[in-house]
Amino acid sequence: MTSVPLTHARGSRLRRLRLTGLTGLAAAALVLAACGGGGSSTTAPEASAPAASSEVDTLKIANGVAIDTLDPAENAANESIWLDQNIYARLVQTDPAGTKVVPDLASSWDTSTDGLTWTFHLNPDAKFADGTAVTASDAAWSINRARALEGGWGFLITPVTSVTASDPQTVVIKLKTKHAPLLADLAMYAFGILPQKAVEADKDFFNKTPYGAGPFKVTKLDPDSQLVLTRNDSYWGPKPKISTVEVSVVTNDNTRVLQLQGGQVDVIENPPGNLLKQLSANPKLKVDLFPSTRVDFMQVPLKTKPFEDVRVRQAVKAALDLDAMNTLAYQGNATPANTFFPYKMLYWAESIQAPKPDLDKAKQLLSEAGYPNGFKTDLITVSGDAAGQAQAVVIKDDLAKVGIEVTIQSYEQSTAYTNERSGTNGLGLRYWTNDIIDPDEVATFGADIKGGANSFSSYWGDDATTKAINEARSETDENKRAELYTQVQQTVADQAPFIPLAYPPFRYASGAWVNGFQVSPLGNYNDSLLSLTVGTH
């Protein structure tokens, strides 16, 4: 959840996790379980000198969304989140495959036998981009800052009672109850480690050229048009082979394609689905459909009639043809969604069936709810989102078959999400991507009314579901966690406070001259920028 991004109901806090096969996911579960139990110690990668092996030292990326902020605690747009992870390091991070938690600033960590005290040992070589040492005080201050931010991600680590620095190289985190996803949570972008003194000394720190302890630092920032990242020569880990990353904001999908075809940029996000075959046929270009944790869904405004009636929500769900939606919006490259958990992520409930259109059932439910002739409603969409517009066309047509008249209302992204957030302005198209490799984020964000996002702005609440989510957070038995999360997914499927639509891949197109660009199922590509090279073209 940044929602579209919920990127934090990525639309906004919609976000990510590992999807490529159940074997990898099971491995992720075992890694988390091991780290949450009796203690662990892992060695961080060794530093290396800059490798000047890229023929061109600048990578040019065209994103479709403006930068909302480079403050990791306040990010909402996915694109900004993924950029942040090149700038700021965390205590721990996910591996490039998105399957396990590995060291970042903390080279090792230990847990107490009761699982309530976690001790992280910092890499003594870690430095911020200004050359100053990263200290445990910086780490503790940064995590506490993110925890305390109103409307932020502190709800993910509510069991934490304190984060302190016991000495300059040691961070101690104490819990009131066991918290199974703690390591996964700490690997989230929001808990990036900041230079405390620099941030406190400059109230505009994040609006200028912010820096952290990641492999790149900001040297130019215009949120609506451009971001320039330069290699951080103080970075303790492997040095990127490129020296500069130029990110331009190009909101029109077709314009991004034209810029790639003309060689003005090297990588573009979200090329239109109807152009993928054409782009793939060009020997100078390549298209990548990366496995993702993205879940497209339709927000339902439970605060307004007639959607407060579960029968109406179930009728809407029964009328939708997800296969037709996949074909039109994603040319068959997505998977129709069966639950609001990302596809094949940890504890995804395969047993729940994706809905199939049943118009007779939809009409019967509407009649029982007192709407035998249907009703009128708006559907909010993002104007520049080609896939979303295609989904809207299918939804409008499907609902018309059961008497529901839909008016599509298109806005630029920030306005669309603002209008959807109140839960009173009609249906809305959103998407979520997981930021961590544990389902705690999406479960808490999407189905716990007290979890920080009003259940994807649906304002739906269910006491049994909230209880199950909280029990799953403190449960370290993997089988019991699976049972609890299956219960949560089934209840959401039955109550339909929002309607999952599709599991689409992350779509990127790039020049054949770019070697090594990879995107994690969580959406971030920071690991690939360490080894990526750009050839002449």
Side-chain angles (χ1 to χ4, degrees):
M1 164 209 36
T2 274
S3 237
V4 357
L6 278 161
T7 179
H8 300 338
R10 263 138 193 197
S12 299
R13 287 164 166 153
L14 295 176
R15 291 118 189 0
R16 341 156 226 299
L17 213 152
R18 180 60 182 166
L19 327 175
T20 56
L22 296 178
T23 301
L25 292 174
L30 293 174
V31 168
L32 287 173
C35 292
S40 63
S41 179
T42 313
T43 302
E46 296 181 358
S48 63
S53 59
S54 183
E55 294 177 358
V56 177
D57 65 2
T58 299
L59 175 71
K60 297 181 179 180
I61 301 174
N63 280 341
V65 178
I67 297 167
D68 62 341
T69 177
L70 292 180
D71 182 343
E74 297 200 41
N75 278 136
N78 277 339
E79 287 76 4
S80 300
I81 289 165
W82 299 332
L83 291 171
D84 270 0
Q85 296 184 64
N86 297 284
I87 305 168
Y88 310 109
R90 288 133 295 176
L91 289 179
V92 293
Q93 62 181 327
T94 54
D95 71 337
T99 60
K100 60 183 178 181
V101 174
V102 297
D104 197 1
L105 291 175
S107 55
S108 65
W109 53 88
D110 310 292
T111 60
S112 60
T113 55
D114 62 6
L116 300 182
T117 301
W118 291 68
T119 304
F120 295 86
H121 309 284
L122 299 187
N123 185 329
D125 296 327
K127 295 181 179 179
F128 291 114
D130 67 348
T132 60
V134 176
T135 69
S137 294
D138 292 307
W141 176 83
S142 300
I143 296 171
N144 284 324
R145 174 179 180 269
R147 288 174 63 209
L149 180 69
E150 183 177 356
W153 289 97
F155 66 85
L156 287 180
I157 54 173
T158 50
V160 171
T161 58
S162 67
V163 183
T164 59
S166 62
D167 63 50
Q169 296 296 312
T170 308
V171 179
V172 178
I173 297 179
K174 292 186 176 294
L175 310 174
K176 58 184 176 183
T177 59
K178 290 183 179 180
H179 189 54
L182 180 64
L183 282 178
D185 289 339
L186 292 175
M188 188 184 186
Y189 69 90
F191 301 110
I193 307 307
L194 306 168
Q196 178 182 358
K197 291 180 180 178
V199 175
E200 290 183 326
D202 187 353
K203 61 182 179 62
D204 291 323
F205 179 83
F206 297 104
N207 298 321
K208 296 177 180 177
T209 53
Y211 62 88
F216 290 91
K217 59 184 179 181
V218 179
T219 51
K220 183 178 180 180
L221 172 60
D222 183 338
D224 294 321
S225 63
Q226 187 183 44
L227 171 72
V228 177
L229 300 176
T230 302
R231 184 169 57 209
N232 170 19
D233 289 330
S234 295
Y235 182 54
W236 59 272
K239 303 300 189 296
K241 296 181 180 180
I242 51 175
S243 64
T244 307
V245 180
E246 294 182 2
V247 181
S248 57
V249 177
V250 183
T251 57
N252 186 278
D253 289 353
N254 292 321
T255 301
R256 292 197 301 279
V257 169
L258 291 173
Q259 289 185 349
L260 178 62
Q261 291 173 326
Q264 297 165 263
V265 298
D266 304 310
V267 178
I268 63 172
E269 71 162 351
N270 293 329
N274 61 346
L275 296 180
L276 295 183
K277 288 185 178 179
Q278 175 186 328
L279 292 171
S280 296
N282 187 333
K284 296 182 179 179
L285 306 177
K286 54 187 173 183
V287 171
D288 286 300
L289 301 177
F290 295 106
S292 85
T293 53
R294 173 167 169 159
V295 183
D296 290 1
F297 65 92
M298 184 163 66
Q299 180 181 314
V300 181
L302 272 66
K303 292 173 71 175
T304 59
K305 291 182 179 295
F307 297 107
E308 84 286 2
D309 191 322
V310 66
R311 293 170 296 185
V312 171
R313 304 196 298 272
Q314 291 170 340
V316 170
K317 183 177 179 179
L320 298 179
D321 188 338
L322 302 190
D323 289 317
M325 203 176 298
N326 178 25
T327 298
L328 186 62
Y330 291 111
Q331 294 67 52
N333 290 315
T335 298
N338 65 327
T339 91
F340 75 107
F341 274 33
Y343 184 53
K344 290 188 177 180
M345 80 175 290
L346 198 62
Y347 309 123
W348 170 71
E350 185 176 10
S351 60
I352 298 175
Q353 297 298 307
K356 296 292 185 180
D358 187 335
L359 299 184
D360 290 338
K361 177 182 177 181
K363 291 176 181 177
Q364 180 182 344
L365 287 166
L366 287 174
S367 182
E368 292 174 359
Y371 299 93
N373 300 315
F375 54 88
K376 296 180 179 180
T377 187
D378 288 340
L379 174 62
I380 299 172
T381 67
V382 175
S383 56
D385 180 1
Q389 293 296 320
Q391 289 173 324
V393 169
V394 175
I395 291 168
K396 178 181 175 70
D397 182 62
D398 286 348
L399 295 187
K401 296 174 184 176
V402 296
I404 300 174
E405 182 180 335
V406 173
T407 300
I408 299 173
Q409 303 282 1
S410 296
Y411 305 92
E412 59 84 25
Q413 180 175 290
S414 62
T415 302
Y417 294 148
T418 297
N419 290 342
E420 290 171 333
R421 200 168 292 125
S422 67
T424 59
N425 292 319
L427 302 168
L429 292 180
R430 306 289 291 271
Y431 79 80
W432 162 273
T433 60
N434 240 49
D435 298 302
I436 64 175
I437 65 172
D438 191 278
D440 177 54
E441 180 187 19
V442 67
T444 304
F445 200 81
D448 182 356
I449 188 63
K450 300 177 182 178
N454 298 311
S455 301
F456 283 154
S457 300
S458 68
Y459 297 88
W460 172 80
D462 177 74
D463 289 342
T465 298
T466 295
K467 182 174 183 290
I469 290 171
N470 286 321
E471 287 180 359
R473 304 180 88 194
S474 59
E475 179 58 67
T476 56
D477 183 287
E478 297 298 317
N479 292 327
K480 291 180 180 179
R481 286 194 88 199
E483 292 175 4
L484 289 165
Y485 282 128
T486 296
Q487 173 190 329
V488 169
Q489 291 170 81
Q490 187 64 65
T491 300
V492 169
D494 294 340
Q495 290 292 311
F498 44 85
I499 302 173
L501 303 175
Y503 300 127
F506 288 130
R507 305 192 313 276
Y508 282 85
S510 60
W513 56 88
V514 178
N515 298 300
F517 182 76
Q518 293 287 327
V519 176
S520 155
L522 303 181
N524 52 296
Y525 45 80
N526 51 298
D527 284 298
S528 75
L529 296 193
L530 295 175
S531 57
L532 173 151
T533 60
V534 182
T536 55
H537 57 283

